Structures are given as C-alpha cells and as structure tokens.
Amino acid sequence: VGRVHLGLLGSGVVGGGLIDLIAKNQALIGERCGLELIVQRALVRDLNRPRPMHVEYTTDAAKIINASDIDIVVEVMGGTTQAYEYIKTALQNGKHVVTANKALLAQRGNELFHLATQQDRCIGYEASVCAGLPVIGTLRQGLVGNDIESLYGIVNGTNNYILTQMAEQGTTLEQAIQEAQKLGFCEADPSMDIDGIDAAQKLVVLSELAFGMHVQLQDITIEGIRHLEQADLKQAASLGYVIKHIAIARKVDGRLDLRVGPMLLHKRHPLASVRNEFNAILVKADAVGEMILQGKGAGAMPTASAVLSDIVDVALRDAPVHLRKLVKAEHGASAEGRYYLRFPIVDEPGVIGEITTKIGREGISIYDARAVLEDESTDGNVMILTHKCSLVALNRAVQAMQDQLRKAPVVLQILERK
Amino acid sequence: VGRVHLGLLGSGVVGGGLIDLIAKNQALIGERCGLELIVQRALVRDLNRPRPMHVEYTTDAAKIINASDIDIVVEVMGGTTQAYEYIKTALQNGKHVVTANKALLAQRGNELFHLATQQDRCIGYEASVCAGLPVIGTLRQGLVGNDIESLYGIVNGTNNYILTQMAEQGTTLEQAIQEAQKLGFCEADPSMDIDGIDAAQKLVVLSELAFGMHVQLQDITIEGIRHLEQADLKQAASLGYVIKHIAIARKVDGRLDLRVGPMLLHKRHPLASVRNEFNAILVKADAVGEMILQGKGAGAMPTASAVLSDIVDVALRDAPVHLRKLVKAEHGASAEGRYYLRFPIVDEPGVIGEITTKIGREGISIYDARAVLEDESTDGNVMILTHKCSLVALNRAVQAMQDQLRKAPVVLQILERK
C-alpha cells in the first residue's frame, strides 16, 4: 500500500479518460484503499497535442517499459504487434501489466499469461471485455467456487445498437450503421463489429477464463449481422421475438460449443430487453444459478473505470492472480435448438413441398411455415420455424434444398424465455 | 498459497451447502487459484444429526475461534448476540472472518470492521447481501475508481416473489405469502421481509460501502408491503407500471436519501422485468454509468457461492481489504419525485374538490385523478398521480386531508423508465 507509479502506453480516448478519472476521484480512491495513483509517464505519438499538464509525455516506449520508476504498465494503445512486444518486455522487466486489448489477448493471451506466471507478475484485463462491466472480476472472483455451465452475451454494443434501431425505428442496416457512426458507437470501417469478429475475440477471453480451456478464434463459429434485413426483424417481432447478436459459450459433456451470431430471443428472455449500445452477460453456474450483468460495454470512461479497478487490484495484491492452467479444449459440442429460416424460393410448382420434404428427411419437424408478406425491400418469401433439431442436420437439409432457393437462407437460432 | 483451514460457525442450510460445494468443486478451485480448502471443524448444536463424514463437528465454539489450526472463521449461524461475540474473539485471535450475517453487520458492522483493521485481519461479507450476486465485490473492486451516485435495488426476494404473484396471478397478499412459505422463500414469521427490515439491513451494508458514510437502520425510511392491495397492483398495471419493493440510496448534494418501500416502476424500467424471487441492483456511478446485477439473492447454494468467493479472496490476499474510513453521514436529502396515491374518501359532496385543493395548496400539481373501479376486495376508491413534488410537501397535504379520508392513503413513488 502507498504510492503506485503508472506508465501509460497510449494516451488516446481511453488513456486520456483514465488520466481524467484518476485526477477526479484520486481522493476517493485514497480513502477507499489507501493508494495514491500517480500517472508517471505516458507514451504518445505526437508531443505537441494539448494534454493535461501534470503527466510527463514521451514518444519513447523504453521510458515506460524499461523504467525503474514505473510499477504498473497500462496498455491502452491497441493493436497486436507493438502492444505485444511492449507488454512482453514490461513483464520481463518485472512490471505488472493492465491491458484493455481484447484482440491481443484473443490472439496471444495464452503466451502472455504464461510469461506473467513465470515472472510472478499480474496481467489485469477487466477492460478487455465489456469495458466497465466487471465480467472478468465476476468470473474470476465472484464465481470462483462455481462450475460454469454457459455464458450468453450481448458483447458488441455496435451490433446491439444497429439491431435495436432496425427493430424499433424500421431503419435499414446501412442507415443504422451511419447513425451508430455519428454517435461514435461504430468505427469508420464497421467490419470488425458487424462481421462478429469483435464479439468472437471477447468470447475467446471469456470462455478461456470461464472454462479453463485454451480457445482460439478459429474454434468459434462466427456470423455477423450483414445479411439481416427488415423482413427478419419484422418476422421476429410478429412472432414475439427480438433479434440480438449473441455470443454463446457452453460446456456440453466436456466439449465446448462456441458461437457468435444473430439469434431470435423470446421477448421475455432476460437479454431481450437489453437495448441500443448496452451490453449484458448471462452466466449459468452450478451454485449461483442464473446471473446477469448489464451496462455500458464501451466508451472512454466505462473503459477507464475497468482499467482503474485492475490497477487497484494489482497494486493491492502485488502478486500474480493465479490463472487456472488452460487445458486443451474439445470443441464441436452439438449445437441443438429451434431455428428460424427465411429464404426466397424459385417460382415453380411443388417447390414448398420439396423443401419441407427435404427438411423432414433430416428428421427435423417443422413448427410453423409461412409466406412472408411481400415487401419491396426484401427478397425473402418463405419463413420456417423448426422444432428442436441439431444444427448439423439443419445444415444438411439447407444443402440439399439449394436448387429450390434463389439465395442462401437466413438461419437464426431461437432462444426461449424459459 | 496452499492449504487453507476453515472453521464453520454453524452448519445449517448455508454451512451444509458450503461443505457440499467445496467437496464438489474442490479440484476446480485448486486449478483456478492453487488453494486447497479444508473444512477443519464445524460448530453445531446437535452432534447426533447425520452430516458429511469428512468434517469434524463440535458443540464448543472455542474449538473454532480459539483454535490454532483454523485460518479463516466462517460465520453462517445468524443472530446478532453469540455471532457478534464469536466474530470479535476470532478477530482478536488473529483469524480472518467471512460472514453472511447482514443483521449483525447492519447493527455492529462499524465496530467489527474497526477491530479487523486494528488486528490487520479481513472481514469478507459478500454473502450478506443478495447471496451469490457479487454486489459487494462490484462496489468494492469493480467500481473502486467511481464516485457512486445512487443504488436502486430489489434486494428482498420474498417481497419480489409476493408482488409478482399478486400482479401476475391476482392472488391476495396472504395467499402469496403462503405460496412463498411453501416454496421456502419466506420464513414462518414473514415480518422481517414484508415489513422491509431485511431490505433495510441490506441497504445499510450497501450504502456504507458505496458512500463511505456511517449508516444506521434508523436513518432509513422503511415501508413494507403489508398495506398493498390488489387494487394497487391493478391500477399500476393499467397505467403501464409494476409495483416493486425497492431499496434506494442516493447522494444528493453530499446528503443521503435512504428509503425502502414499494414503488411504481415504468414497465420498461430496467428493474421492472425482475420477477419472482430474483434480486437486482442498479448502480449509477460517474465513470461506468448505469450498471445492473441480477440473479438469485437467496438460497443455500447461491449463498455458499458468495461465502466461497470471500474465502478465496481472503486467502489470496491474506491482508486486510482496506475499507474506506466511514465518515458521519448527513441524512435527509430531499426525496423528490412523482407519486401515486390511493385512498377511500368519506362519502360527502365536494370531498374531491377539497382534497385536490389541499394538494394544490402545497404547490403539488395533479397529473391524473380518477375513481378506482369498485372491487369487493378493496376499500380504495380514488387514485391520484402527481407531477414531480417533494415528499415533505406531499406528506403535509396528506396530513391536511385526513378528515376527508376513511383510511390512510397508499403512497408510492413512481420510477420512470428514463
């Protein structure tokens, strides 16, 4: 306990937010935990931009990662190349590290955690997933005595904002993206979000922690939201569902089922009411039952809040947070569920009969099938809801009915309220 | 890190659950944090009841609180007299303490935390509020860098179950209580829950931690749910609201506003969808914004889960968790809001005019006033919704209109969706 000297790698939106937050709540933090946090030095690209005066700025990373007057290195620069080298060097030099970098952890987290353990140092990474929502702390600390069964998360605020706007305002995907960009919820290039990569990176970090198994991005079935149309949102609403972009990690008989993609949620499902840029994680665990964490999953101050909580945690422990040794994961747990399909059919007699026969041939029962109201904005014109079936069988059926479709179907899993 | 020897004070529902949970997830906990947790000894009243064999049982508390082979004393016996003495002695003997006892902490927490600091020991108390929901950890750790503005909580599962049943099944209060008792959600004597005492004790614990101010039970305005009738739940529903028993702690200009009681929540308010025995806490803080934690707030295994997380935390730190020094609180922050009133009036001409005049005289604007549909189950027959006003002024108006009422009115604050 006492003074803690921080070196920031990066001083952009999050780094600047952290400097402001420490300045604002310094006294409060001191009263709470007896620590004085001092931002000793911050790495920047351009020394000439105006910034708070009480911090020393440098363009030389060595002055942070090799400096004897820095206790904790805070990586808020992003990227996976330089950030990786800097964190590695900082750990080798005996610094604790706090990072907000999910992309780096998803790619090389295993290696960095291993190095940290060897060096008897900590890596705090609360800010890497869902910003200020303490999901990492809850999994690592609050649920430490629980066997975790599954995680269901709305972990990408951009996609949730876009889907909320499409559903509630009737906008197109493109309009909703522009609106999200205007509000700062979405990058100029929205691909990482809307193609599901960002959500999948978060799922790597969460599922390694929850299940103690090594997970890589390629272990996850990833779907984005680009292919969704107004027709799907309208159909979902008319059936009493909302469409959300969900990240799922489940342990089924020792194997992992890891998926990211849009799904239909019953309107009374606990995640269905999570709107706009908000994030939420539903954890099911043996002792605690179902638990939900909900809040803002992005933004300068929420992220700075999480970084700060890691800094205090690391400073108070000054000892490595023991990570469960990651074991090799068995992937490919069966994804079973009810599914929604929407697709345009070729205009020939008997086509619907052929399609339903092919679905039936895979042992899949149809719960509801209907023509979707014609709408100029969409090609879709047949919607099918299935009873519970395996995704493998459903994919075989879709494969078999290719000649009857004018376009690949939209396939969404249905999550009931239960 | 290594072996941790636990002494349990009490081996009832929670203590027994803890013994089972440690046995079940021992290997998992070891992998995660390198600890072997050993339940060394447990205090019981009756040695002859059948219990798991691998634990030593005793009827002599000294064998736990004075024993040199115990590292952490886990108090799960309840009550505020013996439990207080035992915890005090344990701390004096250099033991760390983990407790689930909100009643004791609400009454003498300040004294015990002070003693723990003197003795350089920890008191873990995650299980004292909302069982397995990590609210204490989130306030203490996840939000350590935040200035907390307010807490809104559904912290009593019994009341939430009763109100959900009354609203959704149309049952009376008495029927709902019986149903709750049958399901084990409610004690034989339901007073502590339905009179709001249990919720108020939890609010003491939460608000001391959130605001760093000393709070006592008598600082809280406490209302239960005994006076609610079907008429109120129906009225609320017809207006687009649900009635929930809410605990509020807000800091307004440095003063605290602490209240527990039933309130009207807009059906899209984030706490409105929390049903049955579930608990939830909405925290507003400067950096993180709005955050919600939701889950089971009671039960043997959820409580054992929280106790276990404290045991691991205490064992890994082996150093006191620094509590902010509590300062004297200024109470009596103004409670302002929109209100719902329902009351039976005396049957005389001009009475409604008199009532509305008296309300207007206090500067309170009426938003809606209507006769409630007659129903044999209720006396209520006039309902009034106000615009934003101070509770003090509203209470003065209610006082002034006593001669026009046949019974004290039901007064509920309205929480909008915002």
Side-chain angles (χ1 to χ4, degrees), chain B residues 3 35 60 102 105 108 177 242 337 382:
Chain B
R3 292 188 163 196
L35 296 177
D60 181 6
K102 65 183 162 278
L105 292 179
R108 316 185 79 159
I177 290 172
V242 292
V382 168

Side-chain angles (χ1 to χ4, degrees), chain B residues 16-75:
Chain B
L18 181 64
I19 290 171
D20 292 345
L21 187 59
I22 289 174
K24 176 171 185 244
N25 290 344
Q26 178 71 269
L28 205 56
I29 296 165
E31 283 168 31
R32 282 177 183 163
C33 54
L35 296 177
E36 187 186 354
L37 305 180
I38 298 158
V39 182
Q40 190 83 349
R41 211 163 292 122
L43 177 71
V44 295
R45 285 211 197 106
D46 175 4
L47 284 171
N48 296 318
R49 279 179 48 189
R51 293 192 176 86
M53 296 289 289
H54 64 284
V55 176
E56 181 193 329
Y57 298 94
T58 176
T59 54
D60 181 6
K63 288 195 174 157
I64 290 167
I65 56 180
N66 297 330
S68 61
D69 61 351
I70 300 281
D71 305 309
I72 301 176
V73 171
V74 179
E75 186 272 305

